[in-house]
Amino acid sequence: MTTGRRPGRFRAFGLRTRLMLAFLLVAAVSAGTTAALTFREARTALLETAQDTAVTSFRDHVQQTAFGLPMQGGEDLQSLLRDIARKGKPHPWVVFAEYGSVRASSGENPVSTVITPELRRAARANPHGSFERVVKDGVPYLTIAMPMVFKTSPDSVLPSGLVLYAVMRMSDEQVNVDALLMAGRDGALPGLAVALIPGLIAARSVLRPVRELSQAARSMGSGRLDTRIAVRGSDELADLARTFNESAGQLERTVRELREAEARARRFASDVSHELRTPLAGMLAVTEVLDEDADHLDADTARAVRLVSAETGKLAVLVEDLMEISRFDARAAELNADEIDVAETIRKTLHNRHWTETDGRVRTELPDGIRARLDPRRFDIVIANLVGNALRHGSAPVTVRLRTETRSPATPDLLITEVADDGPGIQPAVLPHIFDRFYKADAARTRSVGSGLGLAITLENVKLHGGTIHAGNLPGGGAVFTVEIPLHAEEAGG
C-alpha cells in the first residue's frame, strides 16, 4: 500500500532544494569569479611593483659602477659586487658576474643555481637586460640579467662580454600573495552563508504560490470545485493563479450543468416510468382478454392482437427496468439481505422462468450446503438476467456453476457464480461496453428482445452486494459471466 506525500514534507530533490542549490551555485560562481579576478589583479600589482623596483634599481647601480676590462676576477671584483648587493631594493640581492671563464659573486658561491640557461641566452640577445621569476626548492626568486655594453653611437651599443646577475628572494611577496588567497577564500565562505538568507526568502516567495496551487488542485480533486487561489502581484505566478481560477470556474460551471442535466434525465425517466405504469396495467389487462379471444378472431385480426399483446409486454418490462435503474441512480435502492441457501435460490429462479434441465436448455452445477447473506429478490434478478441473456444472445446449453473461494486470510470468502453459454462468444470490441445501458453489439440491430437494461441492472445489483461481475470468453468458445460476491454481503457492501 502506498501513501501520498504530505504537502509540507521535505523532499530531497524538491523545488525548494533545487532553488537553493541554483541560488548557491550562482552566488558561488559570482563570489569565486570576483575573488579570482581580485586576487589576480592584486597579485600582479604586488609582484610587478617589487619586480619593477628591483630591475630599475639594479640597472641604475650597474650603470653607475665602473668595471675595468679585461677582468681577471679577485678581491676587487668581489668588492664591487658586494657594494652593488648592499644597495638592493626592495630586498637584499646576491650579485653574480660572468665574464668569459671568470665567475664571481657577492656571496659565498661564485655560481648561482637559480639562474637558468634561458636567462643567460636572453642576456646575450637583449643588451638592455632581462629578468625571470623562478621557484627553486619551493622558494620564489626574481633573477635579473644586465649585460655591460659599450655605447658606440646614440642608437647602437657593443657588448663587452661582462654580464651581471642579481638574485632576489621574493618570500615576502609570496607571503602577501598567500594572505590575499586566504583572505579571498575566507571572505567567500561567509558570503555564501549570507547568501542563504536571500535564497530562502526567494524560495519561499516562489514556493508559496506553488504550494497553494498544489493544495487547491488537491482540494478540487476531492470534489470542492469552488476552490480558488488568492492572486498576488502581476508576475508569472499571478498569471498562473488567475488561469487556475478561470479554469476552475469553467470546470465548476460545466460540472454543475452536467449534474443538472443528469438530474433532469433521471427525473424524466422516473416520471415517465411512473406515469406509464397505470396505463400499461390497463393495457396489459386488455391484451390478456384479447389473447383469450384471439382464437375466435379471423387470422389477420388475431395476428394483430398477438403483436399488440407482445409489444405491450415488452413495454411493461422496459418501464419496470427504467424504474429500477432510476432507483439505482437516485441511490434509493436498498439491500435487504438474509441468510439463504444459494443453490436452492438459483434452482427456484430457473424453475419460475421454466428453464429446466429436462429440455436441455440449462445445466447446473450447484453443490448443496452453500449459504450466504444475500438479498433474495436482487440475487434472483442477477441470475435471471444472466441466464436470459445467454439464451437470447448465446446458444444452449447454458451452464450455471456455483462455488466458494478463499483468496487470502485478509479478504472475505467469495461466493462465485458463473453463467456460460455455448454460443460464438463476445467480440473483443464489445467487452468494454457489455454492461452499458442500451448498448447494441450489432449496430444494424435496431431492436432487441429485451429492454437493453438487463446487464446494467445486473451490474448495479452485484455492486449493491459489494461484489463484482466480469464478462469474458471461454477457451473453447462461448461467453461466460462471473459474479463474485462476499459471503457476508452486508459487511462487504457497508
Side-chain angles (χ1 to χ4, degrees), residues 338-491:
D338 193 9
E339 186 171 337
I340 62 174
D341 187 317
V342 183
E344 183 60 29
T345 300
I346 295 176
R347 292 190 188 99
K348 189 179 298 184
T349 297
L350 300 177
H351 177 75
N352 292 339
R353 272 77 174 180
H354 306 290
W355 296 329
T356 61
E357 297 190 38
T358 55
D359 58 5
R361 299 177 64 195
V362 177
R363 296 185 303 188
T364 59
E365 298 177 11
L366 308 175
D368 294 325
I370 298 177
R371 302 187 66 83
R373 289 193 63 82
L374 302 173
D375 186 325
R377 184 183 72 85
R378 296 190 180 281
F379 189 68
D380 173 80
I381 293 174
V382 170
I383 299 301
N385 284 348
L386 291 180
V387 175
N389 182 78
L391 290 173
R392 284 192 299 270
H393 303 291
S395 178
V398 175
T399 303
V400 182
R401 297 184 180 90
L402 180 67
R403 71 178 190 276
T404 60
E405 184 175 313
T406 301
R407 294 183 177 173
S408 70
T411 58
D413 293 346
L414 294 177
L415 174 71
I416 300 179
T417 308
E418 292 182 355
V419 177
D421 62 53
D422 200 30
I426 306 172
Q427 297 179 6
V430 175
L431 280 174
H433 309 284
I434 196 70
F435 295 104
D436 292 351
R437 301 174 186 183
F438 300 110
Y439 178 76
K440 297 178 181 180
D442 184 4
R445 180 171 54 88
T446 58
R447 298 192 58 196
S448 59
V449 178
S451 66
L453 294 172
L455 290 181
I457 292 174
T458 301
L459 173 64
E460 296 295 339
N461 278 305
V462 172
K463 289 167 63 176
L464 195 63
H465 281 85
T468 59
I469 181 171
H470 307 283
N473 293 306
L474 295 172
V480 58
F481 289 82
T482 304
V483 178
E484 299 177 356
I485 298 176
L487 284 176
H488 302 285
E490 286 183 328
E491 297 177 7

Side-chain angles (χ1 to χ4, degrees), residues 208-225:
R208 184 177 61 245
V210 174
R211 190 159 46 244
E212 292 176 354
L213 178 63
S214 175
Q215 293 172 353
R218 189 177 295 107
S219 178
M220 289 191 65
S222 63
R224 297 180 57 186
L225 300 181

Side-chain angles (χ1 to χ4, degrees), residues 36-111:
L37 293 175
T38 303
F39 168 74
R40 189 184 68 177
E41 293 299 324
R43 175 179 177 273
T44 301
L46 182 65
L47 294 178
E48 286 183 350
T49 299
Q51 171 184 291
D52 293 344
T53 301
V55 172
T56 303
S57 177
F58 185 58
R59 181 185 292 113
D60 293 341
H61 291 313
V62 170
Q63 291 177 354
Q64 295 171 6
T65 303
F67 293 90
L69 297 175
M71 186 175 293
Q72 301 297 326
E75 293 293 334
D76 293 338
L77 177 57
Q78 197 170 34
S79 176
L80 289 173
L81 297 179
R82 286 174 180 171
D83 183 61
I84 297 175
R86 282 193 297 268
K87 300 174 184 179
K89 293 179 181 180
H91 307 297
W93 301 333
V94 178
V95 182
F96 297 86
E98 294 183 0
Y99 180 76
S101 61
V102 177
R103 300 289 185 270
S105 74
S106 62
E108 298 178 357
N109 297 320
V111 179

Side-chain angles (χ1 to χ4, degrees), residues 148-328:
M148 294 294 296
V149 296
F150 297 109
K151 195 168 187 180
T152 58
S153 67
D155 298 327
S156 63
V157 293
L158 183 63
S160 66
L162 173 62
V163 181
L164 299 181
Y165 297 92
V167 178
M168 181 183 73
R169 280 175 173 261
M170 301 188 72
S171 302
D172 292 345
E173 284 74 15
Q174 185 63 41
V175 170
N176 293 333
V177 169
D178 293 341
L180 285 174
L181 182 60
M182 293 184 65
R185 182 194 63 190
D186 295 341
L189 293 179
L192 290 178
V194 173
L196 282 174
I197 298 175
L200 289 172
I201 295 174
R204 178 181 176 85
S205 64
V206 173
L207 288 178
R208 184 177 61 245
V210 174
R211 190 159 46 244
E212 292 176 354
L213 178 63
S214 175
Q215 293 172 353
R218 189 177 295 107
S219 178
M220 289 191 65
S222 63
R224 297 180 57 186
L225 300 181
D226 58 344
T227 302
R228 299 294 184 271
I229 302 176
V231 180
R232 303 182 183 91
S234 58
D235 56 6
E236 290 81 359
L237 292 174
D239 293 340
L240 177 61
R242 277 190 287 270
T243 303
F244 177 86
N245 291 340
E246 293 172 0
S247 302
Q250 182 63 36
L251 178 62
E252 184 181 14
R253 289 190 293 273
T254 302
V255 171
R256 182 170 60 249
E257 293 172 358
L258 289 175
R259 288 174 176 173
E260 291 174 353
E262 184 181 7
R264 288 194 299 269
R266 290 174 179 173
R267 284 195 303 269
F268 175 78
S270 178
D271 293 344
V272 169
S273 301
H274 280 287
E275 293 297 327
L276 287 177
R277 291 190 78 182
T278 301
L280 273 175
M283 292 173 64
L284 286 172
V286 172
T287 54
E288 288 180 1
V289 174
L290 292 176
D291 278 341
E292 293 177 357
D293 296 335
D295 293 336
H296 304 291
L297 301 174
D298 60 86
D300 292 339
T301 303
R303 188 164 49 254
V305 166
R306 291 189 178 94
L307 178 61
V308 170
S309 177
E311 294 301 322
T312 303
K314 293 178 182 179
L315 183 59
V317 171
L318 175 60
V319 169
E320 290 298 326
D321 287 347
L322 283 173
M323 292 186 64
E324 182 72 9
I325 207 73
S326 67
R327 282 192 286 269
F328 283 113

